[in-house]
Amino acid sequence: MKIKVYKPFWSYDVQKTEEWLSSMSEKGHELVEINRFTRYFIFRQGEQRKRLYKIGFDKMKQKSLSSFLTRNGWAMILQSGNWYVAANDKPSNEIESYPVRENIIKHNKKIMYLFGSIFIYLTVIVLSYLLIGLAISSSVQFGFVKSPLWIITFLYAGMGIMLWALSFYSITKIKGSNKRLLGESNYSLENNHSLENIYSQESRHKEESPSRDEIKRLRRSGEIVVKRRYAWTYEPDKLEKWLETMEEDGLSLYYVGKTGTTFYFKKGTPRKVSYCADYQNYVNEDYYTFHKEAGWKLIYFTSLNLQQWTLWSHEYSRDEKPPQLYSDKFHQLKHAKRVALTYSCLSILIVVVHLLQLEEYSQLLQAENFDISQMVQFLFSILVIFIFGSLTIRTWLYYRRIRSL
């Protein structure tokens, strides 16, 4: 007899899914198939036993596990697309190695980026329409006209609310799951780091950062200068050049605000400092350790999982060549392409939707059936297209500059 169990969001939290599979095994339900499209798990009745499950993701669609894992008792029991499930009948305290988690983290992050852009878009749209409504409410008389077509409006509104809720759920669920997987992968694999060390980077950085009172004191005494730099992530090479020029002018970067847009400089003597703004899809403790051992100082990193930006600095003498975080052209181009593609994907949905709205408005304009609210929305769509379009172009200009070096 086969049992089918529906698990729509099982891949968002594979650790919870693995625990559930182990509990099913103890009840005598043996996993035989996963349908990743319908999200059904299929079991057959078998022997009741304690079994440890691990879920993996590999685009290479491997047919077998590595010999290292096999020697530790792991066996692949099924594969569905890029996903696979491995099982081990040994007690957990006798298992020395586990399947890697990095690919699951990367895969889930892509899903989080998609839902993140949808969430931001829907939030911005709702807020903008609320603001437009408030702005024109004094000059426009709103009313409700009975029509059977309202059902379409309510249907779209319902779908929008459901999509917004799904996006919020997906982002929060994946963010928590990835954090646990990141800790687990660093703890259980080759690195031999403790779980506490995974999160110590953030706590250490907070300890090294000046307090708010200290910043206020320095501002009042005129010892620091505050500058703001918006949207630098779309052209990080210009930020690096700007910071290096500030250092040569005797303004040493002291602190970067939490949002990454406010830069605090201390007045001092001119220095030669190389800066690097680095964007990564996936970072772990080794990433920070490796660059610190190479002499780089961590200045700032984003705490949002949607963006993994870090800002590094490296002081050098005037008779030395400026140090570079990535000295070879291949990694520089790869980094620039990653930035351009990521921000293009985030912007393209917003630009396309507003282009479609412009087409609708242009038809109303030709029919001379334009009211003031539609005029405001028309101008708002043009503004949104201009902002997100120009930001996307800036990322590709950044890529072109790196390519021409």
Side-chain angles (χ1 to χ4, degrees), residues 5 9 23 42 44 57 71 77 107 116 145 159 164 168 200 236 245 254 273 315 324 335 345 352 378 385 401:
V5 182
F9 301 109
S23 67
I42 301 171
R44 69 183 173 199
F57 185 88
R71 285 199 300 273
I77 59 171
H107 172 75
V145 179
M159 290 171 62
W164 188 89
F168 181 78
S200 60
T245 304
Y254 175 63
V273 181
E315 187 175 359
Q324 291 181 296
H335 179 264
C345 291
V352 167
F378 177 74
I385 292 169
R401 286 194 297 274

Side-chain angles (χ1 to χ4, degrees), residues 4-68:
K4 293 173 69 177
V5 182
Y6 181 55
K7 286 278 185 182
F9 301 109
W10 65 266
S11 58
Y12 284 7
D13 191 345
V14 293
Q15 289 173 316
K16 190 175 180 181
T17 304
E18 290 160 357
E19 291 172 3
W20 171 69
L21 290 174
S22 295
S23 67
M24 292 293 283
S25 180
E26 290 181 9
K27 296 174 185 173
H29 302 311
E30 184 180 346
L31 179 67
V32 293
E33 184 182 349
I34 296 176
N35 190 321
R36 66 185 192 283
F37 297 111
T38 61
R39 320 302 285 178
Y40 272 104
F41 284 69
I42 301 171
F43 301 85
R44 69 183 173 199
Q45 195 61 38
E47 177 188 353
Q48 293 183 354
R49 57 181 168 177
K50 286 191 174 182
R51 202 171 205 195
L52 193 63
Y53 286 90
K54 288 293 176 185
I55 297 172
F57 185 88
D58 194 337
K59 288 185 177 180
M60 299 299 291
K61 296 183 180 179
Q62 58 186 28
K63 300 298 181 185
S64 60
L65 298 173
S66 66
S67 57
F68 184 68

Side-chain angles (χ1 to χ4, degrees), residues 278-289:
D278 190 28
Y279 178 79
Q280 296 289 332
N281 291 328
Y282 169 81
V283 294
N284 56 19
E285 185 75 4
D286 286 345
Y287 169 81
Y288 297 104
T289 304

